[in-house]
Amino acid sequence: MKIRVFINSDIDAEEINIENNTICLYFKSVESYKGFRSNFSLSKIFKDNYNENISFSDALGSINLSRFKKMFKRTKPILRYHSELLETIDVPIIVDLSYLPFAEKISILTNPLVTGKNLFFMDEYTTGEYITLKDMISMYQAIILDAEFIRKNNYSETEAIYYVYQKYKERIYKKEGKKDKCSISRSLNQIIKRDNIVCVGYSNYLNAIASILNLNVFPLSWNDEANINSGHQENIALINDSKYGIKGVFAIDITWDSKRCEEDETYQNNISHFLVPMAFDEIEKKHKGLVVPADMLYHSIFERYKRLQFFIKSNSPECIIDDSKNLVIKSINQLYQILDIPPITLECNIEDEIVKVKSLGRVAIPLETLKNIINNVTPRSEDDLDNMIKSSYHYRHYQASIAQARLLRAILGTKK
């Protein structure tokens, strides 16, 4: 039997869910959790898996109460932070700061009244690991240094992303040991202290820097089609870089471009997976047996559009079709807002907008622009720049365009 405990003031009612030998309890407040922890009232009412009222006694069933109490008191609850007074908490609790604005996280962690007694912390970059207040502050101090360097050099969006990409691809991919926790190679707290790092670790670092700099860079997780317990993570960037005139949706896969071993020097001039247009990243990932995710903003647009098409073909009621179209438009406008594109309305031609969104995932960056991005962050000789550019998707794109143009001229008999 396993027990997991959560505290979240957003929930409508306190819940108890039992599934796969795991008991999950959800409380609306720290006080409610503490009250239950003190007396384990058998008559306390929860909502069950089916949203029905159930007493704790009935939910517990044949589970031994004495054993449950011991395990419950050893289990630290995870508090999804909203506006709690952390300094008043007098029982061990894990405070989840995930997806709060970076400035708010720092404000909480550096509050002189929050001493860290009874408190542990986690966020979206610790990948399930919970750590002390001191370690959480140290973790952020490490990435703040990189963010300050980027700001000091006034890097643009793409330059900032390239800075982190080129710095962390110098790290050699190294899995945790068989007896180690998986967080050793994934949690930001761990990868800045040791040499273990896997795809989630690379991705977490770029995501964390992006959150400080307010860049629209997010984790992008792929499932392995042949193994549900395996997968891969990279980053997706929604870029609107006025300095270089770049506007589109790109993938950055630090893992696949990282240094392979101590003797490897080829990684230095390899940018195969830096700012790959999303549509072409999908082709490569699918070829590797990875399943395209549908929970990211960009990909959710196409999933919602597929659903809309299904309702239209099924002659669904007009209200269902309108609701579905509104969801598509809402997702498109979220993307357009980030990329500074005028919003659309219900009267738009949705097919035209889908074509437009797809084109954002196929944006090719001019080779001279790519050279300037690299050279402004890590100055290189012209020969090195040429070698680096030849490894990029964008070079292959332009070479293919030239080949197509030559073929077209040959077919049409057009002179040079």
Side-chain angles (χ1 to χ4, degrees):
M1 178 178 66
K2 295 180 180 179
I3 296 176
R4 301 193 69 193
V5 184
F6 303 89
I7 303 172
N8 188 346
S9 59
D10 281 345
I11 61 176
D12 295 327
E14 297 185 335
E15 303 172 16
I16 183 167
N17 297 325
I18 304 176
E19 192 172 347
N20 298 326
N21 204 35
T22 299
I23 303 174
C24 294
L25 295 104
Y26 300 82
F27 296 90
K28 288 178 63 66
S29 68
V30 174
E31 291 307 312
S32 178
Y33 159 75
K34 286 170 59 180
F36 181 75
R37 191 174 189 268
S38 298
N39 58 38
F40 292 97
S41 171
L42 293 174
S43 61
K44 181 174 176 62
I45 300 298
F46 292 90
K47 291 286 186 181
D48 64 11
N49 301 50
Y50 306 99
N51 203 33
E52 299 289 339
N53 289 336
I54 188 172
S55 69
F56 173 60
S57 176
D58 289 341
L60 204 60
S62 61
I63 296 171
N64 182 278
L65 179 61
S66 177
R67 183 184 175 210
F68 175 88
K69 287 180 179 180
K70 289 178 182 178
M71 293 186 68
F72 184 89
K73 289 192 173 183
R74 289 200 302 265
T75 303
K76 295 180 179 67
I78 297 176
L79 167 68
R80 187 63 184 268
Y81 183 86
H82 289 287
S83 58
E84 289 79 4
L85 296 174
L86 299 183
E87 59 269 27
T88 65
I89 294 176
D90 55 2
V91 290
I93 279 180
I94 302 166
V95 183
D96 185 1
L97 303 180
S98 297
Y99 306 109
L100 291 178
F102 182 75
E104 188 173 348
K105 291 180 182 179
I106 295 299
S107 177
I108 293 165
L109 295 171
T110 57
N111 182 340
L113 297 178
V114 177
T115 62
K117 186 179 180 181
N118 295 312
L119 298 179
F120 298 85
F121 293 86
M122 62 183 287
D123 69 1
E124 63 269 45
Y125 313 120
T126 57
T127 315
E129 180 188 32
Y130 60 87
I131 58 182
T132 64
L133 174 65
K134 180 180 178 182
D135 280 345
M136 198 73 172
I137 291 173
S138 295
M139 182 183 84
Y140 278 119
Q141 283 176 333
I143 59 172
I144 284 171
L145 291 176
D146 271 337
E148 287 178 347
F149 181 86
I150 289 169
R151 284 191 177 125
K152 180 180 177 182
N153 285 276
N154 198 30
Y155 287 154
S156 73
E157 286 182 47
T158 45
E159 288 171 342
I161 293 169
Y162 176 72
Y163 171 82
V164 179
Y165 160 85
Q166 62 83 28
K167 176 178 179 178
Y168 255 66
K169 74 172 184 170
E170 294 180 0
R171 294 278 300 266
I172 299 171
Y173 182 98
K174 182 181 178 183
K175 292 185 69 174
E176 69 281 359
K178 290 183 179 180
K179 295 183 179 180
D180 295 328
K181 293 181 178 179
C182 65
S183 59
I184 282 177
S185 58
R186 293 164 176 80
S187 169
L188 183 59
N189 172 58
Q190 295 291 337
I191 66 169
I192 61 177
K193 294 177 179 178
R194 57 178 74 231
D195 59 358
N196 299 85
I197 188 168
V198 295
C199 59
V200 177
Y202 292 107
S203 175
N204 276 340
Y205 200 89
L206 179 51
N207 291 330
I209 296 290
S211 73
I212 299 175
L213 300 173
N214 295 316
L215 301 177
N216 292 297
V217 177
F218 309 98
L220 189 59
S221 299
W222 299 78
N223 295 320
D224 190 323
E225 198 168 24
N227 183 358
I228 60 172
N229 297 315
S230 184
H232 180 61
Q233 185 166 305
E234 59 176 340
N235 301 88
I236 183 171
L238 313 179
I239 294 179
N240 180 25
D241 191 328
S242 58
K243 179 175 181 178
Y244 293 104
I246 300 172
K247 184 176 293 192
V249 182
F250 301 89
I252 305 102
D253 198 329
I254 304 176
T255 310
W256 284 9
D257 285 350
S258 63
K259 187 176 181 180
R260 296 306 174 198
C261 60
E262 289 296 342
E263 294 74 28
D264 180 25
E265 295 182 356
T266 60
Y267 80 96
Q268 295 175 355
N269 287 336
N270 175 32
I271 54 169
S272 299
H273 298 94
F274 173 65
L275 294 186
V276 177
M278 198 68 241
F280 298 96
D281 183 67
E282 289 174 13
I283 293 171
E284 182 179 19
K285 294 296 190 293
K286 286 179 181 178
H287 181 70
K288 298 288 187 179
L290 297 170
V291 181
V292 62
D295 55 351
M296 174 56 204
L297 171 59
Y298 175 75
H299 297 96
S300 71
I301 292 172
F302 304 115
E303 288 300 311
R304 290 180 172 182
Y305 178 62
K306 285 179 186 177
R307 195 177 301 120
L308 171 61
Q309 288 179 309
F310 172 79
F311 289 143
I312 293 172
K313 290 177 182 178
S314 302
N315 293 316
S316 299
E318 197 69 27
C319 60
I320 293 179
I321 293 174
D322 284 347
D323 285 346
S324 184
K325 187 175 181 180
N326 272 320
L327 283 175
V328 178
I329 291 171
K330 181 181 178 181
S331 295
I332 291 175
N333 279 337
Q334 286 177 319
L335 177 65
Y336 283 2
Q337 183 177 12
I338 291 171
L339 298 180
D340 195 27
I341 297 172
I344 57 177
T345 64
L346 192 61
E347 289 71 37
C348 73
N349 184 317
I350 199 73
E351 286 73 23
D352 288 347
E353 297 303 326
I354 291 296
V355 170
K356 186 175 177 181
V357 171
K358 286 182 178 180
S359 71
L360 292 168
R362 295 192 177 100
V363 173
I365 300 174
L367 302 186
E368 283 303 314
T369 298
L370 198 54
K371 282 185 180 181
N372 289 335
I373 293 167
I374 295 167
N375 208 38
N376 284 341
V377 178
T378 54
R380 305 268 182 152
S381 69
E382 194 62 32
D383 286 344
D384 278 349
L385 281 174
D386 285 339
N387 287 332
M388 290 183 77
I389 295 303
K390 286 177 181 177
S391 69
S392 74
Y393 158 81
H394 305 282
Y395 178 83
R396 297 191 295 273
H397 167 80
Y398 282 108
Q399 289 297 108
S401 298
I402 292 170
Q404 288 173 1
R406 286 173 178 166
L407 179 61
L408 184 61
R409 285 198 298 269
I411 292 172
L412 298 177
T414 307
K415 294 182 180 179
K416 293 183 180 180

